[in-house]
Amino acid sequence: MNNLQNSKTRLSSIDILRGIVMLFMLVDHVRERFFLHVPVLDPMDIYTTSPDLYFTRLSAHFCAPIFVFLTGLSAWLYENPASGAKRSAQSFLLKRGLFLILLEMTLVNFSWFGAYQTLYLQVIWAIGVSMVVLALMVALPRSVIAILGVSIVAGHNLLSPIEFAPNEIGYTVWTILHDRGYLVTDAVVNVKASYPVLPWIGVILCGYAVGPLFSGSVSSQVRKTILLQSGTALLAGLVILRGLNLYGETLDWSQQATILLTTMDFFNFTKYPPSLDFILLTLGVGAFVLAFLETNALRVLEPVRVLGSAPMFFYITHLYALLVLSILAQWLFGANQHYGSNQTAYFGFYHVWQIWLFAMFLSVLLYPLCKWFAGYKRKTPARWVKYF
């Protein structure tokens, strides 16, 4: 009975954390849909971005690293079910990874613009490629996977000076792995790699490597202790590396005119590709949240767990909900904002708090759908449903 309860607790904590970062993602996507008149640069410009918008954007930085890490962790749990014999995750990872790449190229891309002019290879593409790579590596000893994962995460910043011009051999591969840019231009459909995949491969390998920590043989208290120690180590590493501007970030921070601006500069991390400091912050905080959830199963978080148990369904559904609602809002209320050099007219919010309020409204709207789908996914024998 204790092992069963332990299993339920650890799986619930994973789903809750996944649900939390998905809600932050929802806020960021509402911003991208309804706040275009104040575009957020990457990295964020602390001198032109208001603090409330800056920290709204910063909250979204936790989404991809934690989600990719949990994807690797979930792959280990799939391979080592709490009850039953060990099974191979290779086929599942390979098929699901290719499926995610297909989704990125079709449903996801169309949802952003309601058109298909440029193919953006973004986060779902990066997760899909990472899953394919993990599928090719699961046969390796877990220690080797751990070493590879940590080496990629910690060492890829050393590769930043390497660059290729579009006409040079190696440009395409390097653009996919480390430097975002266009792979195809002046075509019927242009292709841009927006999420360099190399660091994400490192993150998913790390997630898979720590899988045994979430096995039924590890007690909840031991797991919590290790998570707290790991989170402390990651954040301490961040304070040292970032505090002294030693390594892990391409942009040094410096003292600004105010404490607030200095704080914003300190946390102004590179996301494309994610720097070591970016990953230390997000996974360090993620470890603390998992530790808290390990012994605090809050009833109020049950709806968040439901969202986290149907991640791909939520992802696709919320993108199309935003597309439809933005069209509907403009039809009902008319355009009240302009965006870009061509002054495209659209309906948008005036204040950052409206972004958060609308995101909360949309999450409540989507919850019943996700709850229904999560139950359907558990019960249906249809294999394709499991990919969502």
Side-chain angles (χ1 to χ4, degrees), residues 27-28 30-42 44-57 336-340 343-344 346-352 354-355:
V27 173
D28 194 50
V30 170
R31 175 195 63 79
E32 290 186 325
R33 180 66 70 179
F34 291 99
F35 216 65
L36 290 172
H37 60 290
V38 186
V40 173
L41 302 177
D42 186 72
M44 293 172 290
D45 188 339
I46 66 171
Y47 302 109
T48 59
T49 304
S50 63
D52 56 351
L53 184 57
Y54 172 93
F55 287 105
T56 293
R57 175 60 174 163
N336 64 346
Q337 302 288 356
H338 292 87
Y339 167 68
Q343 292 295 292
T344 302
Y346 75 103
F347 175 83
F349 298 133
Y350 292 103
H351 306 287
V352 173
Q354 293 172 316
I355 297 174

Side-chain angles (χ1 to χ4, degrees), residues 196-218:
V197 300
L198 181 61
W200 301 118
I201 292 171
V203 173
I204 201 171
L205 294 180
C206 289
Y208 179 86
V210 303
L213 177 62
F214 287 80
S215 68
S217 61
V218 178

